[in-house]
Amino acid sequence: MAGEVPVLSVGLAHAAPPDTGDHEEVFGVRPRFSQCHNRSVVDASVLLRALPLASPEGTALSERQCEDLAARRRRRPGVAGELRRVLELSERFGESMPVVARSLGLSPRTLRRRLTECGTSYQAVLDEVRAERAVVLLTGAGASVDQVATRLGFAEAASFIHAFRRWYGTTPGNYLRERHPVR
């Protein structure tokens, strides 16, 4: 069917019921139970499909929901939130993970384990903070790509451009042109 999403795997936080037949029928795969998080993995080709009922209103709603989700992520509780706050205060992100872990009163191993329990990693939180700071520096401060790369702790602009493309799916220059077209 055209509207079906090809589910590759499903993990559910609750214990397995005596009969998993209904789960298998709904998802099309046998779920793994008693996982840390509820999670489904789908074929990435789904992202290339055109949305059948796309509209400007739906797009605006989706963008607001994404902004809300990003705001909630910034307010994360626990060690991930504490790490985020420490990294947000960083000037050039030059501190290593062990240094940041000690500032939180943790060993690097304990920080890594607790972040894994939260479903994230040091690099993922660092990337979130860097990505947000990159947009602020490019749009608000009007900094050049070279200046932003230096401020975010990248050795060279090419490394920053590569990371920006991974975060936003486009280069910094295209990002600015798309969101702030010259009039």
Side-chain angles (χ1 to χ4, degrees):
M1 181 192 301
E4 287 187 13
V5 175
V7 177
L8 302 177
S9 68
V10 173
L12 299 171
H14 62 80
D19 178 17
T20 63
D22 289 341
H23 288 82
E24 292 177 41
E25 186 177 326
V26 168
F27 296 115
V29 296
R30 179 176 174 79
R32 285 172 285 160
F33 294 92
S34 302
Q35 301 295 302
C36 292
H37 306 282
N38 291 324
R39 178 177 302 172
S40 64
V41 177
V42 300
D43 188 328
S45 67
V46 170
L47 301 174
L48 300 175
R49 292 183 189 169
L51 297 175
L53 302 174
S55 69
E57 297 82 11
T59 300
L61 174 63
S62 295
E63 287 175 353
R64 282 194 304 277
Q65 289 174 334
C66 287
E67 289 166 3
D68 290 346
L69 176 62
R72 280 198 309 276
R73 287 188 93 173
R74 286 190 289 275
R75 294 188 302 265
R76 288 188 220 216
V79 72
E82 292 175 37
L83 172 60
R84 182 179 238 300
R85 284 185 284 285
V86 167
L87 292 174
E88 285 173 340
L89 296 173
S90 179
E91 282 297 314
R92 297 193 190 280
F93 303 100
E95 303 86 358
S96 65
M97 182 191 178
V99 170
V100 174
R102 279 193 298 279
S103 76
L104 293 170
L106 302 170
S107 71
R109 184 175 178 189
T110 299
L111 176 60
R112 194 174 300 112
R113 187 179 69 247
R114 289 194 183 160
L115 289 170
T116 299
E117 289 168 1
C118 294
T120 191
S121 67
Y122 180 83
Q123 190 62 49
V125 176
L126 176 62
D127 279 350
E128 285 176 19
V129 174
R130 278 177 153 177
E132 291 167 8
R133 176 104 37 103
V135 169
V136 168
L137 292 171
L138 287 168
T139 60
S144 71
V145 170
D146 287 329
Q147 291 168 326
V148 174
T150 300
R151 297 267 311 266
L152 296 180
F154 287 93
E156 55 189 25
S159 300
F160 165 65
I161 292 168
H162 178 75
F164 195 93
R165 188 185 309 262
R166 187 169 32 89
W167 300 330
Y168 294 104
T170 188
T171 64
N174 286 340
Y175 182 92
L176 288 172
R177 280 188 288 282
E178 290 168 7
R179 284 166 180 75
H180 303 281
V182 177
R183 296 180 199 251

